[in-house]
Amino acid sequence: MPGAESAMSLEIRGLSVGYGPVRALRGASLDVPAGAVVAVLGGNGAGKSTLLRAISGTLRFHGGAVTEGTVTFGGRRLDTLHPSRVVESGLVQVPEGRQVFARMSVADNLRAGALGARGGRTAVKKALDRVHELFPVLAERAHQHAGLLSGGEQQMLAVGRALMAAPKLILLDEPSLGLAPLMAARIAETVAEINAQGTSVLLVEQNAALALRMATHAYVLEVGEVTLEGPADELAASDEVRRRYLGVVDEEAAADADGAEQQAPTLRRWVA
């Protein structure tokens, strides 16, 4: 009988997603083991946000639909559930773009995040204490309109709002987007702390260097397909990943990598 750790893993198998006639994901498979931080890398249009929408059940709001495959969390199918039921299962998404309720106070934004929580007032108080410990500025500015926060503070609020539901797994969509390097590093530190407290993380990022520092395992999406997969440190050391996603320009290394890929691909063997 599987233990609690394996029981709360996220498993995606052969997932295909379409927006009308356009296929945004093509047979994608990946895993987020309980307690892990897993990154999904890729450029614009690779299918990263679509993947998170499929997991969280919000595809329908964007005109998309799962056409093949399954998404399971803790052994339970998610791809057929309403988003509210997905949250109840212990999985919460932080959408791209720090989508806070600008005209509501910081405190009310956090209360909104607790609407899907279980356990009553005691659980909500515990979650709020956790958020204020992680982000003291949110306690200091509890009565301020969220729209008046800086970009970094809004990202903190977006993450904090998700944590109010006490999730087992949090989905982060481009958390460093538009942030100064120091603030992006602060968010990365917070993600590590959240994970250390027992919450698994699935992260999609265009900032591959940051994502690979945060993650233990990573996948690369290209035009809706998983093309590379492996331990984050090994992908970070890969010439192919360094050239495509880390901005490392080395003509000799690039030529060697191209030749090796044509003869005997290495990282691609990890893809099931």
Side-chain angles (χ1 to χ4, degrees):
M1 181 176 179
E5 288 295 307
S6 61
M8 294 313 295
S9 64
L10 175 71
E11 299 178 352
I12 299 168
R13 295 292 179 267
L15 189 67
S16 295
V17 171
Y19 295 95
V22 179
R23 293 189 70 188
L25 286 179
R26 300 172 175 84
S29 295
L30 60 118
D31 294 284
V32 182
V37 177
V38 174
V40 178
L41 312 179
N44 287 329
K48 305 186 305 299
S49 292
T50 292
L51 174 66
L52 294 193
R53 292 169 185 168
I55 297 169
S56 64
T58 58
L59 265 176
R60 69 194 74 181
F61 305 134
H62 300 273
V66 173
T67 57
E68 292 180 351
T70 60
V71 179
T72 61
F73 182 58
R76 182 185 186 188
R77 286 277 299 271
L78 297 186
D79 46 282
T80 58
L81 296 181
H82 187 275
S84 63
R85 301 300 298 277
V86 173
V87 172
E88 289 176 3
S89 75
L91 189 155
V92 178
Q93 180 176 357
V94 179
E96 179 184 353
R98 302 182 290 278
Q99 296 180 25
V100 299
F101 300 113
R103 296 185 180 182
M104 290 169 54
S105 69
V106 168
D108 285 342
N109 268 267
L110 294 177
R111 291 190 190 99
L115 293 177
R118 293 183 176 181
R121 292 183 179 179
T122 301
V124 171
K125 176 63 166 57
K126 182 178 179 181
L128 184 60
D129 289 344
R130 179 191 185 192
V131 169
H132 285 167
E133 182 179 354
L134 286 168
F135 306 115
V137 68
L138 299 183
E140 296 167 8
R141 304 190 180 182
H143 302 296
Q144 183 174 329
H145 284 178
L148 299 178
L149 300 177
S150 69
E153 290 165 349
Q154 287 186 20
Q155 185 62 278
M156 293 177 187
L157 179 56
V159 174
R161 186 177 60 192
L163 292 175
M164 289 298 295
K168 299 294 184 183
L169 171 62
I170 188 169
L171 311 177
L172 294 178
D173 194 352
E174 304 283 5
S176 74
L177 184 67
L179 299 183
L182 285 177
M183 183 54 69
R186 172 71 180 96
I187 294 296
E189 292 171 0
T190 302
V191 170
E193 190 170 352
I194 290 169
N195 179 245
Q197 293 174 354
T199 303
S200 306
V201 179
L202 177 59
L203 163 77
V204 303
E205 262 288 350
Q206 288 193 61
N207 186 336
L210 181 67
L212 291 173
R213 287 198 301 269
M214 296 165 63
T216 53
H217 204 86
Y219 296 80
V220 175
L221 271 179
E222 294 182 6
V223 199
E225 297 182 353
V226 175
T227 57
L228 296 175
E229 177 256 322
D233 56 351
E234 293 188 22
L235 264 69
S238 158
D239 285 337
E240 184 175 359
V241 172
R242 285 161 61 83
R243 285 187 297 116
R244 295 186 184 184
Y245 300 103
L246 300 181
V248 176
V249 179
D250 184 328
E251 293 182 2
E252 183 178 349
D256 290 343
D258 281 338
E261 183 179 4
Q262 292 172 7
Q263 294 175 21
T266 54
L267 289 170
R268 293 181 189 276
R269 71 175 180 270
W270 292 330
V271 180

